Amino acid sequence: MSELVLNVKDLSAGYTTHGLFGRKTYKEVIKDVSFSIAKGEILGLVGGSGTGKTTLAKAVLGLIKPEKGVVESFTKKPQMIFQDPLSSLNPAFTIQRVLEEPLILRGIASKTEREERVRETAGKVRLGESSLRSRPSELSGGQRQRVSIASALLCDPGLIVADEPVSALDVTIEAEILELISELRRDTGISFLFISHDLNVIYKICDRVIVMNNGMIIEEGETRKLFRSPENRYTKALLSAALET
Ligand SMILES: Nc1ncnc2c1ncn2[C@@H]1O[C@H](COP(=O)(O)OP(=O)(O)OP(=O)(O)O)[C@@H](O)[C@H]1O
Ligand SMILES: [Mg+2]
């Protein structure tokens, strides 16, 4: 069996909300979820809106505490990228400074070394000199997504959780970002948990797919096989809806 970067077993998680009179209510969102990701694998997570994809991503990254079950990570600092990176980029910083931030946090004190690492990583994601001098609001959606990918790479992760990373982009830019992710996987062996509600996108990039509905994994399989012969009714419905678009 290939080397794993992540193993999730019987994971249940949700949110506690505070109601009237300080009463707490717990709402379970994901239920008994188990899956794993191999080194260098792009695993797709697909499902309709509100099924718990982002919640699962947060639980995988330890941003919310599991109610039950375990998340075992066998790799260095997993990172997350989002649909709209603008909210996570400091508007006052130039992109150069934004990208130096993870290195400062990692204790790389030498400015020259940081500049070198940023230049090298900007090259990998094909961000030019002028983009590095810009502020986040001055970049296009595609360039911003390149910045967030570069920022994740600068943390030297073994796994990147990408939550709808191309959903806000038009199709040509989407194709470029998907190409970039495939290339990074090929060249660096980084694994991805790639979340999308769009099966067409999943088909282009993922090795294997898990399908989620109502917080549960209802089907799992190698991408081509799952698209060719889905077994679950919900997966079939998602696929026929995707064919119409
Ligand atoms: N911070 C929160 N507090 C309480 N409930 C939340 C919170 N975040 C999400 N939820 C609820 O959890 C459920 C799953 O939400 P989640 O964001 O994980 O879905 P999703 O599959 O990522 O949807 P989308 O495709 O729209 O991004 C929803 O019912 C949502 O209302
Ligand atoms: Mg979501």
mmCIF file of all heavy atoms in Angstrom, residues 41-80:
data_model
loop_
_atom_site.group_PDB
_atom_site.id
_atom_site.type_symbol
_atom_site.label_atom_id
_atom_site.label_comp_id
_atom_site.label_asym_id
_atom_site.label_seq_id
_atom_site.Cartn_x
_atom_site.Cartn_y
_atom_site.Cartn_z
ATOM 1 N N GLU A 41 -1.282 12.191 -4.086
ATOM 2 C CA GLU A 41 -2.617 11.965 -4.648
ATOM 3 C C GLU A 41 -3.458 13.238 -4.609
ATOM 4 O O GLU A 41 -3.367 14.022 -3.677
ATOM 5 C CB GLU A 41 -3.329 10.872 -3.833
ATOM 6 C CG GLU A 41 -4.725 10.561 -4.330
ATOM 7 C CD GLU A 41 -5.414 9.441 -3.547
ATOM 8 O OE1 GLU A 41 -5.348 9.434 -2.301
ATOM 9 O OE2 GLU A 41 -6.008 8.568 -4.193
ATOM 10 N N ILE A 42 -4.299 13.420 -5.631
ATOM 11 C CA ILE A 42 -5.306 14.486 -5.582
ATOM 12 C C ILE A 42 -6.660 13.810 -5.352
ATOM 13 O O ILE A 42 -7.168 13.104 -6.229
ATOM 14 C CB ILE A 42 -5.346 15.325 -6.871
ATOM 15 C CG1 ILE A 42 -3.957 15.919 -7.183
ATOM 16 C CG2 ILE A 42 -6.382 16.448 -6.741
ATOM 17 C CD1 ILE A 42 -3.904 16.818 -8.418
ATOM 18 N N LEU A 43 -7.166 13.984 -4.148
ATOM 19 C CA LEU A 43 -8.463 13.381 -3.808
ATOM 20 C C LEU A 43 -9.540 14.450 -3.925
ATOM 21 O O LEU A 43 -9.439 15.511 -3.316
ATOM 22 C CB LEU A 43 -8.432 12.829 -2.376
ATOM 23 C CG LEU A 43 -9.777 12.241 -1.895
ATOM 24 C CD1 LEU A 43 -10.110 10.945 -2.624
ATOM 25 C CD2 LEU A 43 -9.770 12.026 -0.393
ATOM 26 N N GLY A 44 -10.563 14.169 -4.710
ATOM 27 C CA GLY A 44 -11.667 15.108 -4.864
ATOM 28 C C GLY A 44 -12.723 14.875 -3.801
ATOM 29 O O GLY A 44 -12.985 13.728 -3.419
ATOM 30 N N LEU A 45 -13.311 15.970 -3.330
ATOM 31 C CA LEU A 45 -14.449 15.872 -2.418
ATOM 32 C C LEU A 45 -15.569 16.661 -3.060
ATOM 33 O O LEU A 45 -15.455 17.876 -3.252
ATOM 34 C CB LEU A 45 -14.064 16.455 -1.049
ATOM 35 C CG LEU A 45 -15.181 16.731 -0.038
ATOM 36 C CD1 LEU A 45 -15.976 15.469 0.267
ATOM 37 C CD2 LEU A 45 -14.584 17.284 1.258
ATOM 38 N N VAL A 46 -16.634 15.950 -3.443
ATOM 39 C CA VAL A 46 -17.714 16.616 -4.156
ATOM 40 C C VAL A 46 -19.021 16.423 -3.398
ATOM 41 O O VAL A 46 -19.196 15.440 -2.687
ATOM 42 C CB VAL A 46 -17.796 16.088 -5.620
ATOM 43 C CG1 VAL A 46 -18.321 14.670 -5.682
ATOM 44 C CG2 VAL A 46 -18.630 16.996 -6.499
ATOM 45 N N GLY A 47 -19.922 17.375 -3.550
ATOM 46 C CA GLY A 47 -21.234 17.268 -2.909
ATOM 47 C C GLY A 47 -21.944 18.594 -3.029
ATOM 48 O O GLY A 47 -21.314 19.617 -3.283
ATOM 49 N N GLY A 48 -23.236 18.571 -2.850
ATOM 50 C CA GLY A 48 -24.034 19.784 -2.991
ATOM 51 C C GLY A 48 -23.742 20.794 -1.897
ATOM 52 O O GLY A 48 -23.029 20.497 -0.935
ATOM 53 N N SER A 49 -24.310 21.969 -2.046
ATOM 54 C CA SER A 49 -24.109 23.041 -1.080
ATOM 55 C C SER A 49 -24.684 22.651 0.279
ATOM 56 O O SER A 49 -25.754 22.066 0.365
ATOM 57 C CB SER A 49 -24.791 24.300 -1.611
ATOM 58 O OG SER A 49 -24.511 25.358 -0.748
ATOM 59 N N GLY A 50 -23.919 22.943 1.315
ATOM 60 C CA GLY A 50 -24.396 22.684 2.675
ATOM 61 C C GLY A 50 -24.264 21.245 3.136
ATOM 62 O O GLY A 50 -24.757 20.869 4.203
ATOM 63 N N THR A 51 -23.562 20.404 2.349
ATOM 64 C CA THR A 51 -23.431 18.999 2.756
ATOM 65 C C THR A 51 -22.303 18.792 3.766
ATOM 66 O O THR A 51 -22.155 17.697 4.294
ATOM 67 C CB THR A 51 -23.151 18.071 1.551
ATOM 68 O OG1 THR A 51 -22.116 18.649 0.770
ATOM 69 C CG2 THR A 51 -24.357 17.861 0.702
ATOM 70 N N GLY A 52 -21.494 19.810 3.988
ATOM 71 C CA GLY A 52 -20.455 19.686 5.005
ATOM 72 C C GLY A 52 -19.036 19.595 4.488
ATOM 73 O O GLY A 52 -18.119 19.230 5.225
ATOM 74 N N LYS A 53 -18.810 19.990 3.239
ATOM 75 C CA LYS A 53 -17.459 19.882 2.664
ATOM 76 C C LYS A 53 -16.463 20.790 3.389
ATOM 77 O O LYS A 53 -15.373 20.359 3.757
ATOM 78 C CB LYS A 53 -17.493 20.239 1.157
ATOM 79 C CG LYS A 53 -18.433 19.365 0.343
ATOM 80 C CD LYS A 53 -18.401 19.700 -1.147
ATOM 81 C CE LYS A 53 -18.849 21.114 -1.483
ATOM 82 N NZ LYS A 53 -20.249 21.415 -1.123
ATOM 83 N N THR A 54 -16.866 22.057 3.567
ATOM 84 C CA THR A 54 -15.960 23.000 4.247
ATOM 85 C C THR A 54 -15.756 22.592 5.705
ATOM 86 O O THR A 54 -14.646 22.691 6.246
ATOM 87 C CB THR A 54 -16.506 24.438 4.128
ATOM 88 O OG1 THR A 54 -16.545 24.783 2.739
ATOM 89 C CG2 THR A 54 -15.631 25.445 4.861
ATOM 90 N N THR A 55 -16.821 22.096 6.320
ATOM 91 C CA THR A 55 -16.711 21.635 7.711
ATOM 92 C C THR A 55 -15.707 20.487 7.811
ATOM 93 O O THR A 55 -14.863 20.459 8.714
ATOM 94 C CB THR A 55 -18.104 21.191 8.221
ATOM 95 O OG1 THR A 55 -19.005 22.281 8.059
ATOM 96 C CG2 THR A 55 -18.058 20.762 9.674
ATOM 97 N N LEU A 56 -15.773 19.573 6.852
ATOM 98 C CA LEU A 56 -14.811 18.466 6.845
ATOM 99 C C LEU A 56 -13.388 18.992 6.657
ATOM 100 O O LEU A 56 -12.454 18.558 7.344
ATOM 101 C CB LEU A 56 -15.173 17.462 5.736
ATOM 102 C CG LEU A 56 -14.231 16.269 5.562
ATOM 103 C CD1 LEU A 56 -14.095 15.480 6.862
ATOM 104 C CD2 LEU A 56 -14.714 15.343 4.452
ATOM 105 N N ALA A 57 -13.232 19.963 5.748
ATOM 106 C CA ALA A 57 -11.903 20.557 5.528
ATOM 107 C C ALA A 57 -11.369 21.167 6.822
ATOM 108 O O ALA A 57 -10.200 20.966 7.182
ATOM 109 C CB ALA A 57 -11.991 21.621 4.442
ATOM 110 N N LYS A 58 -12.229 21.899 7.531
ATOM 111 C CA LYS A 58 -11.793 22.535 8.778
ATOM 112 C C LYS A 58 -11.412 21.497 9.820
ATOM 113 O O LYS A 58 -10.441 21.676 10.566
ATOM 114 C CB LYS A 58 -12.915 23.417 9.333
ATOM 115 C CG LYS A 58 -13.162 24.681 8.553
ATOM 116 C CD LYS A 58 -14.142 25.523 9.362
ATOM 117 C CE LYS A 58 -14.888 26.528 8.528
ATOM 118 N NZ LYS A 58 -16.137 26.941 9.192
ATOM 119 N N ALA A 59 -12.180 20.416 9.873
ATOM 120 C CA ALA A 59 -11.872 19.374 10.856
ATOM 121 C C ALA A 59 -10.537 18.693 10.517
ATOM 122 O O ALA A 59 -9.734 18.395 11.399
ATOM 123 C CB ALA A 59 -13.005 18.349 10.918
ATOM 124 N N VAL A 60 -10.297 18.490 9.223
ATOM 125 C CA VAL A 60 -9.038 17.877 8.785
ATOM 126 C C VAL A 60 -7.845 18.741 9.204
ATOM 127 O O VAL A 60 -6.800 18.238 9.616
ATOM 128 C CB VAL A 60 -9.048 17.671 7.242
ATOM 129 C CG1 VAL A 60 -7.649 17.485 6.687
ATOM 130 C CG2 VAL A 60 -9.928 16.483 6.876
ATOM 131 N N LEU A 61 -8.031 20.061 9.137
ATOM 132 C CA LEU A 61 -6.936 20.976 9.480
ATOM 133 C C LEU A 61 -6.889 21.319 10.962
ATOM 134 O O LEU A 61 -6.064 22.126 11.387
ATOM 135 C CB LEU A 61 -7.061 22.257 8.655
ATOM 136 C CG LEU A 61 -6.777 22.034 7.178
ATOM 137 C CD1 LEU A 61 -7.242 23.195 6.353
ATOM 138 C CD2 LEU A 61 -5.288 21.802 6.962
ATOM 139 N N GLY A 62 -7.787 20.736 11.726
ATOM 140 C CA GLY A 62 -7.799 20.995 13.164
ATOM 141 C C GLY A 62 -8.362 22.356 13.534
ATOM 142 O O GLY A 62 -8.145 22.849 14.638
ATOM 143 N N LEU A 63 -9.097 22.987 12.606
ATOM 144 C CA LEU A 63 -9.686 24.295 12.898
ATOM 145 C C LEU A 63 -10.976 24.148 13.709
ATOM 146 O O LEU A 63 -11.414 25.083 14.362
ATOM 147 C CB LEU A 63 -9.959 25.075 11.606
ATOM 148 C CG LEU A 63 -8.737 25.322 10.726
ATOM 149 C CD1 LEU A 63 -9.138 25.963 9.395
ATOM 150 C CD2 LEU A 63 -7.735 26.216 11.451
ATOM 151 N N ILE A 64 -11.613 22.977 13.590
ATOM 152 C CA ILE A 64 -12.689 22.649 14.525
ATOM 153 C C ILE A 64 -12.400 21.286 15.136
ATOM 154 O O ILE A 64 -11.760 20.445 14.506
ATOM 155 C CB ILE A 64 -14.104 22.681 13.890
ATOM 156 C CG1 ILE A 64 -14.211 21.713 12.713
ATOM 157 C CG2 ILE A 64 -14.518 24.075 13.469
ATOM 158 C CD1 ILE A 64 -15.634 21.582 12.193
ATOM 159 N N LYS A 65 -12.865 21.124 16.340
ATOM 160 C CA LYS A 65 -12.538 19.902 17.092
ATOM 161 C C LYS A 65 -13.517 18.783 16.735
ATOM 162 O O LYS A 65 -14.725 19.007 16.700
ATOM 163 C CB LYS A 65 -12.640 20.206 18.588
ATOM 164 C CG LYS A 65 -11.543 19.566 19.405
ATOM 165 C CD LYS A 65 -11.566 20.039 20.836
ATOM 166 C CE LYS A 65 -12.409 19.167 21.718
ATOM 167 N NZ LYS A 65 -13.567 19.589 22.357
ATOM 168 N N PRO A 66 -12.997 17.573 16.469
ATOM 169 C CA PRO A 66 -13.929 16.483 16.184
ATOM 170 C C PRO A 66 -14.767 16.144 17.418
ATOM 171 O O PRO A 66 -14.285 16.244 18.542
ATOM 172 C CB PRO A 66 -13.020 15.304 15.834
ATOM 173 C CG PRO A 66 -11.637 15.783 15.869
ATOM 174 C CD PRO A 66 -11.596 17.155 16.433
ATOM 175 N N GLU A 67 -16.005 15.777 17.173
ATOM 176 C CA GLU A 67 -16.876 15.321 18.251
ATOM 177 C C GLU A 67 -16.520 13.861 18.554
ATOM 178 O O GLU A 67 -16.591 13.408 19.681
ATOM 179 C CB GLU A 67 -18.321 15.449 17.759
ATOM 180 C CG GLU A 67 -19.383 15.227 18.785
ATOM 181 C CD GLU A 67 -19.313 16.228 19.941
ATOM 182 O OE1 GLU A 67 -18.727 17.315 19.777
ATOM 183 O OE2 GLU A 67 -19.844 15.894 21.014
ATOM 184 N N LYS A 68 -16.102 13.198 17.500
ATOM 185 C CA LYS A 68 -15.804 11.778 17.596
ATOM 186 C C LYS A 68 -14.823 11.436 16.474
ATOM 187 O O LYS A 68 -14.811 12.116 15.456
ATOM 188 C CB LYS A 68 -17.115 11.002 17.391
ATOM 189 C CG LYS A 68 -17.045 9.511 17.618
ATOM 190 C CD LYS A 68 -18.433 8.906 17.564
ATOM 191 C CE LYS A 68 -18.907 8.450 16.193
ATOM 192 N NZ LYS A 68 -18.088 7.720 15.313
ATOM 193 N N GLY A 69 -14.058 10.368 16.671
ATOM 194 C CA GLY A 69 -13.182 9.905 15.604
ATOM 195 C C GLY A 69 -11.823 10.583 15.619
ATOM 196 O O GLY A 69 -11.528 11.394 16.502
ATOM 197 N N VAL A 70 -10.993 10.235 14.635
ATOM 198 C CA VAL A 70 -9.636 10.770 14.612
ATOM 199 C C VAL A 70 -9.207 11.269 13.238
ATOM 200 O O VAL A 70 -9.659 10.779 12.211
ATOM 201 C CB VAL A 70 -8.572 9.728 15.059
ATOM 202 C CG1 VAL A 70 -8.585 9.538 16.547
ATOM 203 C CG2 VAL A 70 -8.745 8.410 14.340
ATOM 204 N N VAL A 71 -8.338 12.267 13.277
ATOM 205 C CA VAL A 71 -7.671 12.753 12.070
ATOM 206 C C VAL A 71 -6.187 12.547 12.313
ATOM 207 O O VAL A 71 -5.606 13.179 13.191
ATOM 208 C CB VAL A 71 -7.941 14.256 11.844
ATOM 209 C CG1 VAL A 71 -7.144 14.769 10.658
ATOM 210 C CG2 VAL A 71 -9.430 14.521 11.637
ATOM 211 N N GLU A 72 -5.603 11.632 11.562
ATOM 212 C CA GLU A 72 -4.159 11.407 11.703
ATOM 213 C C GLU A 72 -3.469 12.020 10.499
ATOM 214 O O GLU A 72 -3.788 11.687 9.355
ATOM 215 C CB GLU A 72 -3.843 9.916 11.682
ATOM 216 C CG GLU A 72 -4.275 9.146 12.895
ATOM 217 C CD GLU A 72 -3.974 7.659 12.653
ATOM 218 O OE1 GLU A 72 -4.645 7.042 11.818
ATOM 219 O OE2 GLU A 72 -3.041 7.148 13.313
ATOM 220 N N SER A 73 -2.532 12.925 10.781
ATOM 221 C CA SER A 73 -1.780 13.538 9.696
ATOM 222 C C SER A 73 -0.352 13.012 9.761
ATOM 223 O O SER A 73 0.268 13.040 10.816
ATOM 224 C CB SER A 73 -1.832 15.059 9.867
ATOM 225 O OG SER A 73 -1.049 15.647 8.883
ATOM 226 N N PHE A 74 0.140 12.538 8.628
ATOM 227 C CA PHE A 74 1.503 11.985 8.615
ATOM 228 C C PHE A 74 2.452 12.884 7.861
ATOM 229 O O PHE A 74 3.471 12.454 7.351
ATOM 230 C CB PHE A 74 1.502 10.599 7.964
ATOM 231 C CG PHE A 74 0.524 9.662 8.589
ATOM 232 C CD1 PHE A 74 -0.628 9.290 7.901
ATOM 233 C CD2 PHE A 74 0.724 9.160 9.868
ATOM 234 C CE1 PHE A 74 -1.549 8.438 8.472
ATOM 235 C CE2 PHE A 74 -0.186 8.307 10.444
ATOM 236 C CZ PHE A 74 -1.332 7.946 9.750
ATOM 237 N N THR A 75 2.052 14.146 7.715
ATOM 238 C CA THR A 75 2.859 15.024 6.892
ATOM 239 C C THR A 75 3.025 16.381 7.564
ATOM 240 O O THR A 75 2.319 16.707 8.493
ATOM 241 C CB THR A 75 2.208 15.184 5.501
ATOM 242 O OG1 THR A 75 3.028 16.016 4.714
ATOM 243 C CG2 THR A 75 0.838 15.825 5.602
ATOM 244 N N LYS A 76 3.954 17.135 7.017
ATOM 245 C CA LYS A 76 4.223 18.454 7.573
ATOM 246 C C LYS A 76 3.051 19.389 7.300
ATOM 247 O O LYS A 76 2.390 19.286 6.284
ATOM 248 C CB LYS A 76 5.486 19.040 6.928
ATOM 249 C CG LYS A 76 6.751 18.363 7.402
ATOM 250 C CD LYS A 76 7.960 18.957 6.702
ATOM 251 C CE LYS A 76 8.002 18.549 5.249
ATOM 252 N NZ LYS A 76 9.125 19.092 4.507
ATOM 253 N N LYS A 77 2.845 20.295 8.225
ATOM 254 C CA LYS A 77 1.824 21.346 8.202
ATOM 255 C C LYS A 77 0.901 21.417 6.978
ATOM 256 O O LYS A 77 1.202 22.109 5.998
ATOM 257 C CB LYS A 77 2.509 22.707 8.328
ATOM 258 C CG LYS A 77 3.412 22.816 9.521
ATOM 259 C CD LYS A 77 4.311 24.022 9.432
ATOM 260 C CE LYS A 77 5.409 23.970 8.465
ATOM 261 N NZ LYS A 77 6.669 23.517 8.568
ATOM 262 N N PRO A 78 -0.251 20.749 7.035
ATOM 263 C CA PRO A 78 -1.199 20.909 5.937
ATOM 264 C C PRO A 78 -1.649 22.370 5.833
ATOM 265 O O PRO A 78 -1.755 23.061 6.843
ATOM 266 C CB PRO A 78 -2.384 20.026 6.358
ATOM 267 C CG PRO A 78 -1.855 19.110 7.382
ATOM 268 C CD PRO A 78 -0.739 19.830 8.063
ATOM 269 N N GLN A 79 -1.870 22.838 4.615
ATOM 270 C CA GLN A 79 -2.271 24.222 4.385
ATOM 271 C C GLN A 79 -3.617 24.260 3.684
ATOM 272 O O GLN A 79 -4.026 23.283 3.056
ATOM 273 C CB GLN A 79 -1.240 24.932 3.495
ATOM 274 C CG GLN A 79 0.109 25.067 4.139
ATOM 275 C CD GLN A 79 0.065 25.929 5.386
ATOM 276 O OE1 GLN A 79 -0.469 27.036 5.371
ATOM 277 N NE2 GLN A 79 0.602 25.418 6.480
ATOM 278 N N MET A 80 -4.288 25.409 3.756
ATOM 279 C CA MET A 80 -5.596 25.521 3.109
ATOM 280 C C MET A 80 -5.618 26.686 2.138
ATOM 281 O O MET A 80 -5.045 27.729 2.411
ATOM 282 C CB MET A 80 -6.661 25.717 4.181
ATOM 283 C CG MET A 80 -8.082 25.652 3.647
ATOM 284 S SD MET A 80 -9.182 25.042 4.924
ATOM 285 C CE MET A 80 -10.771 25.154 4.113
#
